[in-house]
């Protein structure tokens, strides 16, 4: 209705009716849609409470924890207009005031006395607390009985205290107390809330019944709203990030049209998951007229380049904005991406078998109008034969004439007698900084034959003894193959910027440039080992005590600084350890690891943190393991930034006790 009242937005809305119709299977005329919307909106507005109504605020009390009233009232207050349930709402207000009065009269004098009197056996303690599990407000205290009754203030109220009882008539604990007056007031308040909730549900069910005949219009409107919001969110965020709408043309090789293109041009392309406004994105120009064979060091950005090009092409052909300064994208008939391989024991297939199956499907379907992207081709088998298979696949794609990128570390491909007419060699660049080779993450012409494997292994904490021995073996192998390795290569041989001659001398790299030892990687390995051991012991203990039904495998998974946990962690209990760059740890537990990690990384000092996580059977187990790790890791020599979280309590919060507030 709002969009219909604006000429520009109304035109947009009319265009979006078609995709909404495709999704829902319903055909709705624009005029009929608006008419029905007015009818539905009128009926909803008569019943549903609108934002800004001040007569449905959650009850508050000076001495009762606000969480209590929020839990009791938030599920039904603010749902319907108060005028339709005035009697029920008023009864809740009266009952809440009576409860507040009872708590003030029976509990507050005891708290005042506790603060003023010191016991010979230690200081007395008392607070008004919310017992969440029981939905009750009780007094929590100890050492309250005076040694000598002297008829002083608060003594009469202490005499009225009685042990708090749960719904099954069992005593809750040694420190929980109530009075008859508070218990009666609490029962009346609960009854009033239940009546109000039932009334609200009755009104909502009645409204739902009245609108049942309009269900198709509601479904259509909801779908139209989702599409509109998605596009609005996409364009708003795209503009903020500097994305652009691309020019989309048919591929000229299949169309005799003036407006066609035989290439894909992406100017200042950047990874879609990075924000250029934060200055952490490397911009690349991709002018693709052929198939690219892409080489580069580990961590040099090959996979990121494939993902970025794939995302830009897919977004572009869908008519959406792309992460670039400008873009010309052909209308591909298919976009095919093969990333890292995986095995499938259930199907009896190795990772190489699955890779071959997927690439077979890709090669057989590719046409001259396809975009084909293959990351680290033939990595799962013996090098020599894998190189030959990769070369043959590249020849096939070259013959098809498709656009695309094939990344590889199989440098023997360039020694094969391949017949290529539609292929260019590209590399992810690197440079020397303070005597160390570092990736620039920039796309350039040429072939990079250096993988930086030794430096990468050392950075990830591989022991120096192993690295040095590997370098010795590499030098030995290089000398024995020196004559073979001097064979001429197809295409340019230099793929580094500001690193002259390094590509031609791989055997000398290990001695010329050595980055600092990977102390952070060693710390991560130590944390992973100790956390896994602690969790295994605890889960075994819980299993032996029959606290858990089955003994689960403990798998500690690492999530890198720029990575996200898999979606499978959502809704599953897990414990996690964040390793900051200052080598301090944070231990926590959650049922939504993706959301919790996002919240942590928005804080200072957490942006580049690495996380380890273990999925565990249930929230209770996760809480126990969290406390155990917080208490044990410092004794293993690790520094924690949340030691205080190890002092967990099993009761609610207090508005009068600073100690209890700090504990939570």
């Amino acid at each position: 209705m709002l969009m219909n009242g604006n000429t520009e937005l109304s035109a947009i809305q009319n265009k979006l009716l078609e995709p909404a119709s495709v999704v829902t299977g319903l055909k709705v005329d624009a005029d009929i849609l608006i008419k029905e919307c007015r009818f539905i909106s009128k009926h909803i507005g008569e019943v549903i409470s609108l934002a800004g109504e001040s007569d449905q605020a959650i009850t508050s009390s000076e001495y009762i924890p606000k969480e209590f009233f929020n839990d009791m009232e938030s599920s039904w207050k603010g749902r319907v207009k108060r005028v339709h349930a005035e009697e029920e709402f008023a009864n809740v207000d009266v009952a809440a005031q009576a409860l507040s009065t009872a708590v003030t009269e029976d509990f507050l004098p005891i708290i005042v006395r506790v603060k003023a009197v010191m016991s010979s056996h230690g200081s007395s303690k008392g607070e008004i607390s919310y017992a969440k599990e029981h939905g009750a407000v009780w007094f929590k205290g100890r050492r309250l009985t005076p040694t000598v009754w002297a008829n002083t203030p608060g003594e009469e109220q202490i005499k009225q205290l009685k042990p708090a009882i749960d719904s099954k008539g069992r005593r809750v604990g040694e420190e929980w107390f109530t009075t008859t007056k508070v218990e009666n007031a609490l029962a009346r308040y609960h009854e009033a809330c239940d009546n109000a909730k039932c009334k609200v549900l009755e009104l909502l069910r009645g409204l739902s019944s009245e609108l049942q005949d309009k269900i198709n219009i509601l479904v259509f409107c909801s779908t139209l709203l989702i599409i509109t919001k998605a596009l609005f969110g996409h364009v708003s965020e795209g503009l903020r990030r500097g994305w652009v709408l691309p020019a989309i043309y048919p591929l000229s090789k299949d169309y005799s049209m003036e407006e066609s293109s035989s290439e894909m041009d992406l100017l200042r392309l950047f990874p879609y998951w990075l924000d250029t406004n934060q200055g952490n994105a490397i911009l690349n120009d991709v002018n693709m007229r052929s198939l690219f064979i892409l080489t580069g060091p580990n961590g040099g950005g090959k996979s990121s380049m494939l993902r970025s090009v794939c995302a830009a092409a897919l977004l572009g052909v869908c008519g959406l904005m792309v992460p670039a300064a400008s873009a010309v994208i052909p209308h591909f008939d298919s976009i095919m991406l093969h990333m890292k391989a995986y095995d499938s024991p259930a199907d009896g297939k190795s990772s190489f078998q699955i890779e071959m199956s997927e690439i077979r499907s890709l090669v057989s379907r590719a046409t001259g109008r396809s975009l084909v992207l293959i990351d680290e081709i033939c990595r799962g088998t013996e090098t020599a034969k894998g190189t030959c298979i990769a070369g043959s696949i590249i020849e096939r794609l070259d013959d098809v004439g498709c656009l695309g990128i094939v990344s590889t570390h199989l440098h023997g491909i360039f020694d094969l007698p391949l017949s290529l007419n539609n292929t260019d060699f590209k590399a992810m660049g690197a440079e020397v900084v303070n005597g160390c080779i570092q990736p620039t993450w920039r796309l350039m012409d040429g072939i990079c034959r250096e993988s930086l494997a030794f430096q990468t292994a050392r950075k990830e904490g591989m022991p120096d003894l192993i690295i040095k021995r590997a370098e010795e073996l590499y030098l030995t192998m290089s000398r024995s193959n020196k004559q073979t390795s001097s064979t001429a290569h197809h295409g340019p041989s230099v793929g580094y910027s500001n690193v002259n001659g390094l590509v031609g001398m791989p055997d000398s790299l290990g001695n010329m440039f050595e980055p600092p030892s990977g102390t952070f990687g060693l710390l991560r390995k130590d944390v992973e080992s100790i956390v896994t051991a602690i969790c295994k012991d605890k889960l075994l203990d819980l299993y032996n005590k029959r606290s858990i039904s089955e003994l689960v495998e403990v798998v500690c998974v690492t999530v890198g600084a720029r990575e996200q946990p898999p979606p499978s962690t959502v809704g599953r209990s897990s414990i996690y350890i964040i390793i900051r760059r200052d080598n301090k740890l944070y231990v926590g537990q959650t049922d939504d690891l993706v959301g919790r990690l996002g919240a942590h990384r928005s804080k200072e000092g957490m942006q580049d943190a690495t996380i380890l996580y273990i999925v565990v059977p249930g929230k209770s187990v996760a809480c126990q393991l969290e406390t155990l790790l917080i208490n044990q890791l410092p004794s293993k020599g690790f520094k924690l930034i949340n030691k205080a979280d190890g002092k967990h309590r099993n009761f609610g919060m207090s508005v009068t006790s600073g100690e209890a507030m700090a504990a939570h």
Side-chain angles (χ1 to χ4, degrees):
M1 288 169 59
L2 291 172
M3 292 182 70
N4 186 67
N6 180 287
T7 304
E8 188 175 9
L9 294 179
S10 178
I12 295 174
Q13 180 176 258
N14 289 336
K15 291 181 181 295
L16 297 180
L17 292 177
E18 184 175 349
S21 178
V22 171
V23 174
T24 61
L26 303 170
K27 190 72 174 179
V28 181
D29 182 76
D31 294 335
I32 295 177
L33 179 65
I34 297 302
K35 178 182 177 181
E36 295 288 4
C37 281
R38 290 196 179 102
F39 174 84
I40 295 171
S41 180
K42 178 177 179 294
H43 276 67
I44 291 176
E46 290 173 351
V47 178
I48 300 298
S49 176
L50 303 177
E53 296 181 359
S54 59
D55 58 354
Q56 297 197 51
I58 301 296
T59 303
S60 62
S61 172
E62 183 178 359
Y63 300 111
I64 296 178
K66 62 181 181 180
E67 288 78 12
F68 168 74
F69 287 118
N70 187 69
D71 286 354
M72 297 300 109
E73 301 177 5
S74 61
S75 64
W76 53 270
K77 267 192 175 179
R79 308 296 179 185
V80 301
K81 291 183 180 296
R82 177 162 178 153
V83 65
H84 300 297
E86 179 59 42
E87 181 180 352
E88 288 78 7
F89 278 51
N91 289 340
V92 171
D93 293 341
V94 172
Q97 181 58 47
L99 176 61
S100 179
T101 300
V103 167
T104 303
E105 292 177 353
D106 285 8
F107 292 163
L108 190 60
I110 304 176
I111 294 177
V112 173
R113 175 185 175 84
V114 164
K115 291 181 178 180
V117 177
M118 295 293 292
S119 170
S120 59
H121 301 290
S123 61
S124 302
K125 291 187 178 181
E127 59 189 9
I128 301 170
S129 292
Y130 168 35
K132 191 180 184 71
E133 294 181 3
H134 306 283
V137 176
W138 290 330
F139 182 84
K140 183 176 181 296
R142 59 188 178 188
R143 292 190 290 273
L144 303 172
T145 305
T147 306
V148 178
W149 295 92
N151 200 27
T152 55
E155 286 188 9
E156 187 63 32
Q157 286 77 11
I158 292 176
K159 293 178 181 179
Q160 295 176 10
L161 291 178
K162 62 179 183 179
I165 303 299
D166 64 16
S167 59
K168 296 181 180 180
R170 298 174 301 190
R171 184 169 181 174
V172 175
E174 297 295 329
E175 299 180 348
W176 292 96
F177 300 93
T178 186
T179 66
T180 301
K181 184 195 297 185
V182 170
E183 203 67 6
N184 292 337
L186 188 63
R188 288 196 297 271
Y189 174 72
H190 278 306
E191 182 181 3
C193 286
D194 290 342
N195 292 337
K197 184 176 182 178
C198 289
K199 182 63 177 179
V200 169
L201 288 174
E202 178 186 333
L203 291 167
L204 292 176
R205 290 191 182 104
L207 176 63
S208 176
S209 178
E210 291 179 14
L211 297 179
Q212 185 64 39
D213 292 340
K214 307 295 182 182
I215 190 66
N216 285 343
I217 293 295
L218 286 169
V219 169
F220 191 89
C221 285
S222 298
T223 304
L224 183 61
L225 178 63
I226 291 171
I227 295 172
T228 306
K229 279 191 169 183
L231 291 176
F232 177 77
H234 172 75
V235 173
S236 299
E237 182 65 9
L239 290 174
R240 187 189 71 79
R241 288 173 172 248
W243 294 20
V244 296
L245 284 170
I248 306 174
Y249 298 105
L251 275 168
S252 58
K253 59 185 72 176
D254 285 349
Y255 290 86
S256 56
M257 300 172 58
E258 290 186 6
E259 290 192 358
S260 62
S261 175
S262 60
E263 62 187 59
M264 179 164 62
D265 259 335
L266 303 171
L267 181 63
R268 298 173 68 80
L269 173 72
F270 56 91
Y272 60 88
W273 59 90
L274 297 180
D275 191 341
T276 54
N277 296 324
Q278 297 178 0
N280 59 351
I282 302 297
L283 310 180
N284 277 292
D285 294 342
V286 179
N287 182 246
M288 187 179 293
R289 294 179 173 84
S290 61
L291 185 69
F292 287 175
I293 305 301
L294 182 63
T295 52
N298 289 297
K302 298 187 299 299
S303 299
S304 294
M305 177 60 66
L306 263 73
R307 289 188 177 96
S308 300
V309 170
C310 182
L314 185 58
L315 289 167
V317 297
C318 290
L320 301 173
M321 303 179 79
V322 302
S326 68
V328 175
I329 299 175
H331 202 293
F332 297 108
D333 62 359
S334 59
I335 299 173
M336 293 180 278
L337 171 69
H338 172 79
M339 296 300 292
K340 301 294 189 296
Y342 58 92
D343 65 350
S344 179
D347 298 323
K349 289 189 176 183
S350 68
S351 59
F352 184 67
Q353 285 178 293
I354 291 179
E355 180 184 9
M356 289 297 96
S357 175
E358 292 182 356
I359 293 182
R360 171 194 55 78
S361 176
L362 180 151
V363 170
S364 63
R365 297 178 183 179
T367 71
R369 298 179 54 226
S370 301
L371 177 66
V372 177
L373 304 157
I374 304 176
D375 191 29
E376 297 197 19
I377 188 171
C378 294
R379 61 180 304 196
T381 190
E382 181 259 320
T383 304
K385 293 178 182 177
T387 298
C388 295
I389 294 174
S392 181
I393 292 171
I394 291 170
E395 274 193 336
R396 169 62 180 165
L397 294 175
D398 178 272
D399 184 60
V400 168
C402 62
L403 300 184
I405 301 175
V406 177
S407 72
T408 183
H409 281 296
L410 300 175
H411 304 139
I413 288 175
F414 308 112
D415 299 326
L416 298 175
L418 301 180
S419 176
L420 303 176
N421 301 306
N422 185 49
T423 300
D424 290 326
F425 299 118
K426 298 289 183 178
M428 302 306 296
E431 62 186 358
V432 176
V433 178
N434 298 325
C436 297
I437 302 176
Q438 294 184 358
T440 63
W441 300 288
R442 297 193 182 279
L443 183 68
M444 56 193 305
D445 294 331
I447 299 170
C448 172
R449 295 178 180 269
E450 173 54 52
S451 66
L452 296 184
F454 296 149
Q455 290 88 331
T456 302
R458 183 179 283 111
K459 181 180 178 182
E460 293 302 313
M462 185 66 70
D464 282 342
L465 184 64
I466 294 178
I467 299 296
K468 290 178 180 178
R469 177 55 179 161
E471 290 172 347
E472 293 172 0
L473 295 172
Y474 182 68
L475 290 172
T476 301
M477 185 177 69
S478 297
R479 291 191 187 99
S480 65
N481 295 333
K482 188 173 183 180
Q483 186 173 4
T484 305
S485 64
S486 62
T487 304
H489 303 291
H490 297 277
S493 62
V494 178
Y496 286 114
S497 58
N498 303 324
V499 189
N500 297 324
L502 288 179
V503 175
M505 296 185 296
D507 56 324
S508 62
L509 265 172
N511 295 326
M512 288 177 61
F513 305 107
E514 292 188 7
S517 178
T519 55
F520 182 82
L522 290 172
L523 172 65
R524 179 178 61 79
K525 292 293 185 183
D526 289 342
V527 174
E528 179 178 340
S529 174
I530 292 175
V531 168
T532 301
I534 292 174
C535 291
K536 280 184 177 179
D537 291 342
K538 182 61 176 178
L539 289 174
L540 180 60
D541 179 57
L542 292 174
Y543 176 72
N544 291 334
K545 293 179 179 178
R546 297 294 186 268
S547 298
I548 56 176
S549 58
E550 60 178 329
L551 190 59
V552 296
E553 182 182 3
V554 176
V555 180
C556 191
V557 183
T558 302
V559 179
R562 294 188 178 186
E563 299 175 350
Q564 290 290 340
S568 59
T569 58
V570 177
R572 301 182 67 186
S573 297
S574 62
I575 58 165
Y576 62 91
I577 298 89
I578 298 178
I579 308 176
R580 303 198 315 183
R581 284 297 169 182
D582 59 4
N583 291 345
K584 292 184 178 179
L585 310 182
Y586 179 97
V587 179
Q589 59 83 23
T590 182
D591 288 336
D592 179 10
L593 189 60
V594 175
R596 182 66 62 85
L597 182 55
H600 279 301
R601 284 180 172 166
S602 66
K603 298 177 182 177
E604 185 69 26
M606 293 288 198
Q607 292 84 352
D608 295 323
T610 296
I611 181 175
L612 306 176
Y613 74 87
I614 298 174
V615 176
V616 298
K619 184 81 170 178
S620 175
V621 174
C623 291
Q624 293 181 58
L625 289 173
E626 177 193 21
T627 304
L628 185 64
L629 289 171
I630 290 174
N631 291 330
Q632 288 196 11
L633 285 177
S635 66
K636 306 291 185 182
F638 298 105
K639 296 179 180 179
L640 266 63
I641 61 175
N642 63 329
K643 287 183 181 179
D645 292 349
K647 301 176 182 178
H648 290 299
R649 305 283 183 92
N650 292 319
F651 48 85
M653 295 177 65
S654 166
V655 296
T656 58
S657 170
E659 179 186 353
M661 290 288 285
H664 286 73

